[in-house]
Every structure is written in structure tokens, then in C-alpha cells.
Amino acid sequence: MASLLQRRAAATRRLLLSLPPRPSGRAAARRRNNWALPASLVRWGGLVGGRWVEAPTVFPVQDPASGEELGRVADCGAAEAREAVRAAHDAGAAWGSLPAKERSVRLRRWYELMIENKDELARIITAENGKPLKEAQGEILYSASFLEWFAEEARRVYGDIIPASAKDRRILVLKQPVGVAAIITPWNFPSAMITRKVGAALAAGCTVVVKPAEDTPLSALALGELANQAGIPAGVYNVVPCSRQQTAAVGEVLCTDPLVAKISFTGSTATGKILLKHAAGTVKRVSMELGGHAPFIVFDSANVDRAVAGALASKYRNSGQTCVCTNRFLVQKGIHDKFVEKFAKAIERELHVGSGFDENTTQGPLINEKAVEKVERHINDAVSQGASIVTGGKRHSLGKNFFEPTLLSNVTTEMLCTQEETFGPLAPVIKFDTEEEALAIANAANVGLAGYFYSQDPAQIWRVAEQLEVGMVGVNEGIISSVESPFGGVKQSGLGREGSKYGIDEYLEIKYVCVGGL
């Protein structure tokens, strides 16, 4: 009888974890709005082996626009991380041996459920991340497209037959799943950074443990609810949310547990280096999509109006909080003044700061006050060294996490904003004389994720595209990410590629089979 009562109590606790915490005060009033968190998808416990599980403690998730608490999520630690790894390992053999067509069907169903619930998923992103609802809706469509793409790629994992040098031998090459993959994702794209990795992993036959950013765990958990509904077997997709205090312990488990075969991480270069050190002990496969410092070069031959439109899109999407956002504008002296003038007018005309749930908003809050302080520090440093504020330059009156879209001129390469990734709504403009000078400035960084340039000179386009030391180049384009394209960088911006036909290779081992005596 005691055992039965314990099982019932445990079941009750799991049920409570699937329900949103009861709001009170202003939070209660806000939940009554038409953009309240969707109870059908919001989960507050970890997902381990297909079950919603609790942890000894919880941590708060906050709305960056208002600072209000959205709810409290299970604060998983090392024990829960190990349990999730074991669940993924136990589910691996069955999932990996499923015919590729069956994995494809389930991934496709997961994609369909994301599309059916796109508005609800977008509301979750805006609530916990702050980005404008239209951007969140765009992220969900982008996010779902990776499940669609890799559902199709699952059936195209081809091996090879190689001509042998001996008559009595045949040489075969097989591609097999690496095993359990640990997926560690950032807050700026809380849905897309998961599906871009998980779609490829599951298509290849791997199982996963996802560790979402502490600021945005609800999107990862909502994807888990839809994965369960889609028939993804228990243990194939696991989520261990945790607070900043538990992050190091959970990360160490995921990087050192011998049952984990692969690490895929998106985040800062500094954190990536720590994870690489941990992963070295068991020689794990790693994919790293790390920091960027994207240059945006505007040559004298450019169409200035197109360049301004591309600059606006590349710099201020998600309030400048993307790894491929432009961080340094390099404008040739012949059109410098014209570009700066038009860019400033476009910023003032097109960009509107506000809550992500306001339909007029194009610039939501930054993720937290620490991010705002970094933008302020970069601006103050630049101004102290002679830079001029063309527009913006200070916190917005809406609240502590809001900052005005800012444009600086008279910027030099000695300033912090041209040496570090700002990750905020700051556009510093450097004037240059020659193509060689622009390339030297652009390539001086020790990272190289994305780069952009505008030119109408065909010869220059080929030269610069080939000489920019980045993994992705936008030529007369400010937005370049797509599911069909390989995403990744060079230098200290990372290892490997995500998305595209190359993305699934990151989760496959190549096995050589020699058949003799024929």
C-alpha cells in the first residue's frame, strides 16, 4: 500500500510540473491578456525518458521587458543530467535501428505540430526572450523548417562502395549514428538553435540531451511536449533546464560522461573553450558555433539605399543580439557621409522600441541588465576616444533592459566596440580608403563567423568574397541564414557546420568494412 501511495504521489508531482504556477498580483492580471502563456505547451519540469520530472529546487524565468516572473522551472543538477544521459543511452539502440523512413515520419509529424502551434510557440519566445512577436513568429517557422529539412535528409544518409585493389575483396563504407549527443543552446534563438541541432541528430539516429539557456528554458520544454505528441520515443529527446548556478555542474556532466559521444554547443567562444577542455578527456566529437564579430563593408560602388536597408536588417534584428549581427561597419570615404546620413534617418524612421507584444515594436528589450551595461560601456569608451553619437546612445525610458538603437561615427579600430562583440543595438562606423585597408581591418579579428559587403563591381565581389576570413558571406544581402545553407565559422568562431546537407554529417561516424575471400 505504501508503495502504491508513493507512486500516486509521484504521479501527482509530475502532473503539477506540467501545469503553470498559479500567478498572483500583476502577473495574474497579465495572464488574462490575450497573449498569456499557452497552458497547453508551457511545462515547468525537466523532460527525462519521456517523463516530466522535478528537481530539489526551482529557478525563476523572467520577462525581460517587465522584469516580472513568468514562473519557476525545475533546477536540474548533475544527478538529473546523468539520469537524462542514461535515458538517452537506453533509448539509443532502438531509435538508431529504426528504418530511416520511420524516423523521417516522426520528425515530419513534429514539424507539423510546430506549424499547428506556431502562434503559441511564438508567444513563449516573446515572453521569455523579449523579441518582437513578428520576429518570434519568424523564428518558429525557421525553427520548424529544420525538422522538415532533416526529416527528408534522414532518408539520404548514403554509404559507398569503393573499387578494391584485390579481386577477392569488396570495400564498403557505412554511416552510423555517433550515439548520445549533448545539445547546449543559447537564449537568443531559444527554439531554432535547438531544432537545427536536434533535427540533424535525430535524423542520423542519435538521441539527445538538451541543456537550454537559463533565461529561456520554456521554449525547449514546449518542444519536448510536442515531441511527445509527435511520437518521438521516450528518451530520444531529453531536456535538463537549470539555473546559472547549476550550469557548470550540468555542463561538466554532459562533457565528461562516457555515455555521451558528441557535444554540440552554440554560445560564447570563452565558454566553448571550457567545454572543449572537458570533452577532451573522453575524446568526444564536438561542434562549436561560437562568437562572431561580423564586418559590414560598404564600397564606393555600392547602391547606398540597398546597403542601408541591409545594414538595418543585419544590425538590429533581435535588438542586435544574434551571433551573425554586424558588429563593425566599414564605409569607404567616397560615400561615407551619405551612408551615415541615410542610415541615421532609417534608424529613426523604421525602428520602434517597445514590448515584444506591441505590434508596432521592432526593437524589444535586451535579455538582461548586464547586456545593457555592456552596450553602455562600449559607447562610453568610444565617445571618450573621439567617436560621435549620431542617433540614440542611452537607455530607453521604457525600462532598465531597453536601449535606444544607436549609431556612432568617427570610430577607430582602437575602440572596444570594434575589438569586442557588443551583442546589442550599437552600430559603429569606421571610414576607410582602400579595399586592401578594409580587408585588413575585417580580417584582424581572431573570430570569423559572418561577414557582409556591398559592391556593384563584379571583380571586387569575387575578390572580397574569397578573401574575407569568415565562414559565411553576404554579398549585397544583410540576412543570409537559411535551412539549405551551411552555418558555421572559421578561426575561433567554431568547428563544424549546421543546417544544409552537411549538418547531418556532424552526427554520423564513417565505418569502413572490408569483405574478403570472395
Side-chain angles (χ1 to χ4, degrees):
M1 176 63 71
S3 176
L4 176 60
L5 291 175
Q6 289 170 351
R7 289 198 300 271
R8 286 178 176 173
T12 301
R13 287 196 299 271
R14 289 194 295 270
L15 175 61
L16 289 173
L17 283 167
S18 71
L19 298 173
R22 182 172 296 173
S24 60
R26 287 187 300 167
R30 202 178 60 168
R31 289 274 181 93
R32 290 193 289 270
N33 292 339
N34 58 6
W35 49 267
L37 288 174
S40 60
L41 292 180
V42 173
R43 297 292 176 267
W44 305 96
L47 179 59
V48 176
R51 299 179 298 108
W52 297 106
V53 300
E54 58 187 356
T57 59
V58 294
F59 68 99
V61 180
Q62 294 178 322
D63 173 0
S66 66
E68 292 178 4
E69 186 176 299
L70 298 172
R72 300 197 169 201
V73 174
D75 193 4
C76 296
E80 290 77 21
R82 283 190 289 269
E83 184 182 353
V85 169
R86 172 61 65 183
H89 180 264
D90 291 346
W95 179 251
S97 64
L98 273 182
K101 182 177 180 180
E102 290 190 33
R103 293 199 299 272
S104 175
V105 167
R106 298 189 194 196
L107 282 170
R108 177 76 190 189
R109 181 56 186 149
W110 197 5
Y111 156 76
E112 291 169 349
L113 286 170
M114 284 196 70
I115 296 300
E116 291 171 15
N117 292 274
K118 62 183 185 297
D119 293 335
E120 291 80 4
L121 292 168
R123 292 209 307 273
I124 291 173
I125 289 179
T126 296
E128 65 178 350
N129 169 280
K131 68 175 60 177
L133 189 57
K134 288 181 180 177
E135 282 195 30
Q137 291 166 341
E139 179 181 342
I140 292 302
L141 295 178
Y142 180 55
S143 176
S145 72
F146 286 106
L147 298 182
E148 180 187 37
W149 174 268
F150 285 114
E152 296 163 353
E153 289 297 294
R155 303 180 67 179
R156 299 185 179 94
V157 178
Y158 302 130
D160 284 302
I161 297 177
I162 300 173
S165 57
K167 289 183 178 180
D168 64 342
R169 293 184 179 181
R170 298 294 182 271
I171 296 174
L172 288 74
V173 173
L174 308 178
K175 292 185 178 180
Q176 297 178 319
V178 299
V180 176
I183 308 296
I184 304 174
T185 59
W187 52 262
N188 58 339
F189 286 90
S191 181
M193 294 303 95
I194 292 175
T195 58
R196 190 163 72 188
K197 300 171 186 292
V198 169
L202 268 58
C206 298
T207 55
V208 300
V209 178
V210 176
K211 204 294 283 183
E214 63 273 9
D215 296 293
T216 56
L218 300 181
S219 291
L221 296 168
L223 288 174
E225 172 59 28
L226 293 181
N228 286 348
Q229 294 180 25
I232 303 296
V236 171
Y237 177 87
N238 305 275
V239 185
V240 283
C242 67
S243 64
R244 189 179 300 275
Q245 290 73 25
Q246 293 277 27
T247 292
V250 170
E252 185 172 352
V253 167
L254 297 181
C255 289
T256 59
D257 193 306
L259 295 182
V260 175
K262 158 84 181 185
I263 303 291
S264 181
F265 169 73
T266 294
S268 72
T269 298
T271 301
K273 290 177 180 180
I274 294 171
L275 298 181
L276 280 169
K277 289 180 181 178
H278 285 314
T282 46
V283 194
K284 298 189 191 303
R285 288 274 296 273
V286 293
S287 295
M288 295 276 160
E289 193 259 283
L290 307 177
H293 192 36
F296 189 109
I297 308 172
V298 185
F299 291 103
D300 281 344
S301 67
N303 180 314
V304 176
D305 290 332
R306 286 194 62 185
V308 166
L312 204 67
S314 175
K315 173 68 256 184
Y316 294 107
R317 184 165 59 109
N318 197 21
S319 299
Q321 300 175 112
T322 89
C323 53
V324 292
C325 273
T326 295
N327 207 62
R328 303 167 287 160
F329 288 89
L330 286 65
V331 184
Q332 200 159 12
K333 63 180 181 180
I335 61 167
H336 173 274
D337 293 351
K338 183 178 180 181
F339 174 85
V340 170
E341 179 184 0
K342 289 195 169 190
F343 195 14
K345 289 180 179 178
I347 291 169
E348 294 167 357
R349 181 181 64 249
E350 302 290 341
L351 302 183
H352 306 284
V353 179
S355 164
F357 288 102
D358 184 336
E359 63 180 13
N360 295 318
T361 294
T362 64
Q363 302 287 284
L366 273 67
I367 190 65
N368 52 42
E369 194 167 12
K370 184 178 179 181
V372 174
E373 290 169 354
K374 185 175 186 181
V375 177
E376 286 181 322
R377 185 167 68 252
H378 280 192
I379 292 173
N380 292 337
D381 171 80
V383 171
S384 72
Q385 296 188 58
S388 301
I389 297 174
V390 181
T391 187
K394 62 183 184 299
R395 297 193 188 206
H396 197 279
S397 59
L398 278 173
K400 65 180 182 179
N401 291 343
F402 290 90
F403 204 91
E404 295 177 345
T406 301
L407 176 62
L408 298 181
S409 64
N410 301 320
V411 173
T412 69
T413 57
E414 286 75 36
M415 297 172 182
L416 278 178
C417 60
T418 62
Q419 296 177 357
E420 301 176 353
E421 185 179 27
T422 303
F423 229 66
L426 170 61
V429 179
I430 302 170
K431 184 190 294 186
F432 72 89
D433 290 327
T434 66
E435 178 184 310
E436 293 74 19
E437 180 188 0
L439 282 167
I441 295 171
N443 291 337
N446 62 3
V447 292
L449 188 57
Y452 311 86
F453 70 92
Y454 276 70
S455 169
Q456 296 184 98
D457 179 343
Q460 184 176 61
I461 286 173
W462 281 110
R463 288 194 306 270
V464 176
E466 292 178 351
Q467 291 179 52
L468 271 178
E469 296 174 359
V470 295
M472 300 172 285
V473 180
V475 183
N476 298 321
E477 290 290 343
I479 301 292
I480 58 175
S481 300
S482 71
V483 67
E484 302 87 358
S485 308
F487 193 103
V490 299
K491 300 183 183 178
Q492 294 186 36
S493 279
L495 303 166
R497 292 296 181 269
E498 295 183 340
S500 79
K501 69 176 183 178
Y502 304 105
I504 199 169
D505 291 339
E506 301 289 339
Y507 298 90
L508 292 166
E509 294 283 12
I510 293 177
K511 178 182 286 185
Y512 155 50
V513 179
C514 179
V515 181
L518 302 177

